[in-house]
Amino acid sequence: MPVPGREGGVLVGWGVGRWAAPQLLAALSASSLSRVNYRKRVLVAGLGLVLPLGLLAWVAPLALAVRLDWRRAVRADVPLTPAGIAVLVAALAFGLLGLLDDLVEDAGVRGFRGHVRALLAGRLTGGGAKLVGGLLAALLVASLAVEGRPWYLVLVGAVVVASAANVANLLDLRPGRCAKVFLPLWLAGCLLDPTAGAWSAGLAGAALAGLPIDLREEGMLGDCGANALGAVVGTLLLAGPAWLVWAAAAVLLALQAASERVSFSRVIDGNRLLRAVDGLGRRRDEVG
């Protein structure tokens, strides 16, 4: 039987996302996932739940197809490699941790420093659980993704995966911004590791399906979706040469440090080109 590639995964994920997203948002409208966005509109931060759904809808039949015809799977660049497993673990682990953070109300605790202080004081917040769980998940993901390479790249790779997930979350403050940044990065990651890209294609397709809903301010990715998308992109970057892994870690750490002092939205709004790209797809009254 023929084994489909990345394009098939994107289509499957897109179909699942297009079908499931409106129904999930309607079902979750009265839940604790309701949020007030930057324009004081109440939205459901549950759009990101379609990403793991799209991923699973793709990888389950793909795994069966690979098992039935592994030779064709190798020729089609979709054998289940350690890097392929790594992107699945990254998507599901960071999606789950993000959902936990979405659901838990961390009263009085804000930002990275706030969650670290709470942990040092013996208090486990939703953000603290995501921080600790994310570091452990990133170590596991990096161990799989950089198999056969120097041990220190595991540590650097873990920084890349965890930081990419966090930066994606920091970008999910305006409609469509996170997907606009990370979907092109996912395509670049597919060039670095076509096999892992194929296994994560369902997630990318679901993110693509959710983008118009996000742009229309009918829902938000939330930590669940943003963290999953960011972690997958970070994992794909680990297939690059060592210098790229080090550079990605440095850039992502710098962005996180800058976010403690500088508003990404203010920087984007102050640059004509960035502002134009950021506003693409939104209705005129939603740009800003």
Side-chain angles (χ1 to χ4, degrees):
M1 63 177 293
V3 178
R6 288 180 300 278
E7 296 79 5
V10 170
L11 286 174
V12 169
W14 180 84
V16 170
R18 184 175 174 83
W19 171 72
Q23 300 180 68
L24 279 175
L25 291 174
L28 294 169
S29 60
S31 73
S32 61
L33 290 175
S34 294
R35 297 288 186 275
V36 178
N37 75 349
Y38 76 110
R39 296 204 308 142
K40 311 302 181 185
R41 297 184 62 178
V42 178
L43 307 178
V44 177
L47 182 59
L49 286 169
V50 302
L51 272 63
L53 289 178
L55 177 77
L56 291 172
W58 165 239
V59 298
L62 179 61
L64 178 60
V66 167
R67 184 173 180 83
L68 292 175
D69 195 346
W70 64 269
R71 291 184 181 85
R72 190 183 295 271
V74 170
R75 293 196 297 270
D77 270 339
V78 289
L80 187 52
T81 61
I85 297 173
V87 293
L88 302 183
V89 173
L92 297 176
F94 279 89
L96 176 61
L97 292 167
L99 178 60
L100 173 64
D101 196 22
D102 283 332
L103 291 171
V104 175
E105 297 281 344
D106 290 331
V109 180
R110 298 181 63 85
F112 175 81
R113 295 178 183 176
H115 293 297
V116 171
R117 291 194 190 100
L119 284 171
L120 293 176
R123 178 187 172 196
L124 182 63
T125 61
K130 186 175 73 171
L131 174 62
V132 175
L135 290 174
L136 295 174
L139 279 171
L140 172 58
V141 168
S143 297
L144 290 166
V146 302
E147 185 184 39
R149 303 175 74 178
W151 65 268
Y152 54 81
L153 276 184
V154 173
L155 301 181
V156 181
V159 170
V160 171
V161 174
S163 297
N166 190 47
V167 169
N169 188 47
L170 293 173
L171 292 174
D172 190 34
L173 297 177
R174 293 293 187 273
R177 180 180 293 172
C178 178
K180 285 179 184 178
V181 172
F182 277 85
L183 282 176
L185 289 175
W186 176 81
L187 286 173
C190 289
L191 298 178
L192 295 172
D193 191 336
T195 300
W199 284 93
S200 60
L203 179 138
L208 187 63
L211 180 56
I213 296 173
D214 195 356
L215 289 169
R216 294 194 299 266
E217 293 189 45
E218 296 173 1
M220 296 173 60
L221 283 179
D223 288 11
C224 175
N227 288 169
L229 183 56
V232 165
V233 169
T235 305
L236 291 173
L237 292 177
L238 302 188
W243 67 264
L244 178 61
V245 179
W246 282 99
V251 170
L252 290 166
L253 286 173
L255 287 173
Q256 290 173 99
S259 72
E260 295 289 323
R261 297 178 176 275
V262 179
S263 167
F264 287 171
S265 294
R266 184 172 298 175
V267 172
I268 291 170
D269 290 342
N271 182 283
R272 180 179 300 178
L273 177 60
L274 293 178
R275 185 171 66 248
V277 173
D278 193 47
L280 283 175
R282 297 189 222 163
R283 293 194 295 267
R284 186 176 298 274
D285 67 321
E286 292 176 346
V287 177

